[in-house]
């Protein structure tokens, strides 16, 4: 593959393509990148203690967090004596019925939604994990990826541990079970002092709800309350749904233990600089959630304004790639004065592009998911705003649809820098060689997309738009600057799952 990694900025296809076939493929072909990483996590967690309908609240919370994972979901509750749980492959609405929720009693429950990409996904990896060990039962729900899990697993297996799943999370369970400390919270700290990477965790025991966020605070975790009860969840939008109150974000490296006596807070790990995932602001979190005191919606709008400053376009309309591109397109429109229109309509009954496990289906997925409004784009010079370009396959399909609908010109503007490096901390990204921003120049990407011009946000611009002016963020997907050192030989792929038996 030719071309050095793309730098943020601007490419004008009409100039660069002069003399060449517009839209000539710079080396990528549809279907040519059909390499798939192992399963990786994008997850949401929710826990509540002190409410008589705990499992029902978790069910609602998981509904609000469904965008963080659509592959499997589960709820575990405690009736004060035992932990009862139900988990299944699929989305929350399909898994839980009134009957099942009625069988999850108690005022204490946690839940999890999980997403993965590859074919070996199966029930044994669904969470919460529930185990019984010498000092009782415990359920765990994890958002994030551990970077030293494979080494720890090898060590544990040599000492006799038998693993049930192929998930990094199970390492934490084994370490807790082996700890010689008395209190469960001390065992959890003992276990976590050996793991490195990203973890926002909620635990449930017979009588406690425990939340822990890794020392860098890479993935989000929020603390709130509802009618005498306490809640821990991935995003504030889940608290909005259950009419709870956001108290604050769990601090990086903080542990919160909640029981009938109330909540206790500690910072049991050594302090390191915070590194919240900047991509939560760009794409992953719901726009109605709040992080660092700013709504994700407002951050995305700011990104759109900044993008209009950095990469202006001479055009008649601005259209978003819905849904995630909408706030940035509104910001672009505001700052540029170019009218905002909905030129693409999303079919909401189809999941996110990346859910499809096969490249062939993913291409099809773009078509069934997005349709163009011919009246809006026909005869117009169009600016298309998206939040990110990963493989470039969505953008190329969209370009074709818009051109087929009669647009005069199509200019692509992206409200984040080129995605050049895989995430090792819990967001699903393809192999580095499948990231178009890692392998192609701006001009090549512009040609591949078949756009008239292409502009990406600068990394400085991105940092200027997030809360705290970009201090304390992980931006490794855009810079390759991995804050938590990796224990992998090359950084081409995401961390693989453990090898294990496969149920068919
Ligand atoms: P691609 O076709 O691979 O370039 O996909 C780009 C589209 O996927 C953009 O419209 C993004 O909104 C969306 N996207 C970006 N990152 C992810 C991710 N980790 N999981 C799912 N979708 C994503």
């Amino acid at each position: 593959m030719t071309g050095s990694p793309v730098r943020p900025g601007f490419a004008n296809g009409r100039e660069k393509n002069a003399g060449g076939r517009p839209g000539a493929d710079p080396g990528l072909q549809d279907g040519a990148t059909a390499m798939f990483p192992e399963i990786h996590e994008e997850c949401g967690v929710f826990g509540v203690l002190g409410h008589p309908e705990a499992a029902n609240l978790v069910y609602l919370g998981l509904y609000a967090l469904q965008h963080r994972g659509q592959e499997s979901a589960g709820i575990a509750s405690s009736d004060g004596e035992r932990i009862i749980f139900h988990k299944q492959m699929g989305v929350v609405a399909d898994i839980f019925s009134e009957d099942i929720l009625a069988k999850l009693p108690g005022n204490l429950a946690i839940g999890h939604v999980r997403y993965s990409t590859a074919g070996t996904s199966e029930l044994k990896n669904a969470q919460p994990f529930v185990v019984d060990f010498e000092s009782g039962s415990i359920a765990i729900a994890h958002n994030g990826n551990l970077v030293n899990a494979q080494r720890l697993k090898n060590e544990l297996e040599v000492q006799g541990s038998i693993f049930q799943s192929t998930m990094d999370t199970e390492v934490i369970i084994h370490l807790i079970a082996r700890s010689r400390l008395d209190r469960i919270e001390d065992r959890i700290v003992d276990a976590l002092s050996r793991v490195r990477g990203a973890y926002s965790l909620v635990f449930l025991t017979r009588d406690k709800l425990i939340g822990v966020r890794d020392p860098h605070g890479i993935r989000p975790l929020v603390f709130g309350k509802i009618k005498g009860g306490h809640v821990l969840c991935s995003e504030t939008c889940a608290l909005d749904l259950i009419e709870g109150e956001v108290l604050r974000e769990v601090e990086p490296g903080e542990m919160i233990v909640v029981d009938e006596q109330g909540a206790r807070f500690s910072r049991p790990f050594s302090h390191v600089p915070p590194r919240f995932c900047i991509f939560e602001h760009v794409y992953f979190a719901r726009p109605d959630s709040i992080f660092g005191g700013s709504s994700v919606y407002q951050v995305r709008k700011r990104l759109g304004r900044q993008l209009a400053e950095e990469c202006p376009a001479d055009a008649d309309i601005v259209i978003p790639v819905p849904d995630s591109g909408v706030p940035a397109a509104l910001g672009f429109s505001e700052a540029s004065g170019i009218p905002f229109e909905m030129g693409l309509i999303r079919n909401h009954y189809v999941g996110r592009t990346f859910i499809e496990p096969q490249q062939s289906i993913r291409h099809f997925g773009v078509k069934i998911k997005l349709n163009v409004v011919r009246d809006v784009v026909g005869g117009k010079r169009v600016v298309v705003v998206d939040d990110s370009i990963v493989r470039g396959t969505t953008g190329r399909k969209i370009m074709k649809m818009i051109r087929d609908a009669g647009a005069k010109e199509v200019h692509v503007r992206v409200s984040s820098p080129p995605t050049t490096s895989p995430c090792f901390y819990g967001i699903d990204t393809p192999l580095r060689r499948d990231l178009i921003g890692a392998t192609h120049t701006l001009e090549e990407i512009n040609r591949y997309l078949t756009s008239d011009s292409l502009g990406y946000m600068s990394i400085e611009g991105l940092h200027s738009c997030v809360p705290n002016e970009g201090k304390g963020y992980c931006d490794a997907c855009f810079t390759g600057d991995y804050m938590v050192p990796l224990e992998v030989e090359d950084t081409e792929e995401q961390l693989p799952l453990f090898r294990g038996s496969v149920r068919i």
Side-chain angles (χ1 to χ4, degrees), residues 41-230:
E41 303 319 301
E42 293 181 332
C43 301
V45 298
F46 190 100
V48 60
L49 182 143
H51 195 284
E53 290 184 83
N56 281 281
L57 289 181
V58 174
Y59 167 72
L60 290 170
L62 295 184
Y63 242 102
L65 298 173
Q66 186 77 81
H67 62 289
R68 298 186 71 87
Q70 302 92 9
E71 183 198 80
S72 65
I75 299 178
S77 75
S78 167
D79 64 3
E81 308 260 312
R82 297 163 311 155
I83 293 180
I84 304 118
F85 66 98
H86 180 78
K87 55 186 179 179
Q88 217 172 291
M89 306 304 287
V91 293
V92 177
D94 295 338
I95 296 174
F96 295 100
S97 61
E98 261 180 60
D99 280 356
I100 289 171
L101 289 172
K103 289 180 190 150
L104 293 164
N107 70 352
L108 167 57
I110 65 168
H112 188 266
V113 287
R114 172 167 184 265
Y115 164 74
S116 74
T117 56
T120 59
S121 56
E122 50 187 323
L123 191 56
K124 72 179 180 185
N125 287 335
Q127 296 193 26
F129 280 142
V130 185
V131 291
D132 305 308
F133 62 114
E134 145 261 331
S135 53
S137 303
I138 190 166
I140 178 174
H142 174 203
N143 176 205
N145 262 170
L146 309 180
V147 297
N148 64 341
Q150 186 65 56
R151 183 173 54 75
L152 291 172
K153 181 182 185 240
N154 295 348
E155 287 171 22
L156 287 161
E157 282 182 329
V158 167
Q159 292 159 23
S161 289
I162 296 170
F163 278 73
Q164 306 255 317
S165 77
T166 54
M167 297 282 308
D168 56 354
T169 312
E170 198 182 340
V171 164
I172 300 173
I173 300 274
H174 285 269
L175 293 171
I176 292 171
R178 278 164 181 269
S179 172
R180 298 275 61 90
L181 300 175
D182 283 340
R183 294 188 316 163
I184 189 66
E185 46 269 52
D186 297 332
R187 282 173 171 246
I188 291 172
V189 173
D190 197 20
L192 293 177
S193 64
R194 298 200 50 204
V195 307
R196 289 195 295 103
Y199 53 84
S200 281
L201 296 160
V202 292
F203 295 92
L204 166 121
T205 67
R206 201 174 45 78
D207 56 0
K208 283 180 186 154
L209 170 70
I210 300 172
V212 194
R213 201 167 167 200
D214 70 73
H216 287 290
I218 297 174
R219 305 254 71 88
L221 192 61
V222 175
F223 183 51
K225 66 177 187 185
I226 176 166
K227 295 190 186 100
H230 287 98

Side-chain angles (χ1 to χ4, degrees), residues 42 279 283 324 354 386-388 390-394 427-428:
E42 293 181 332
F279 199 64
Y283 167 79
S324 51
F354 276 49
D386 203 355
D387 57 89
S388 55
V390 184
R391 293 179 174 88
T393 46
T394 311
I427 297 267
D428 174 63

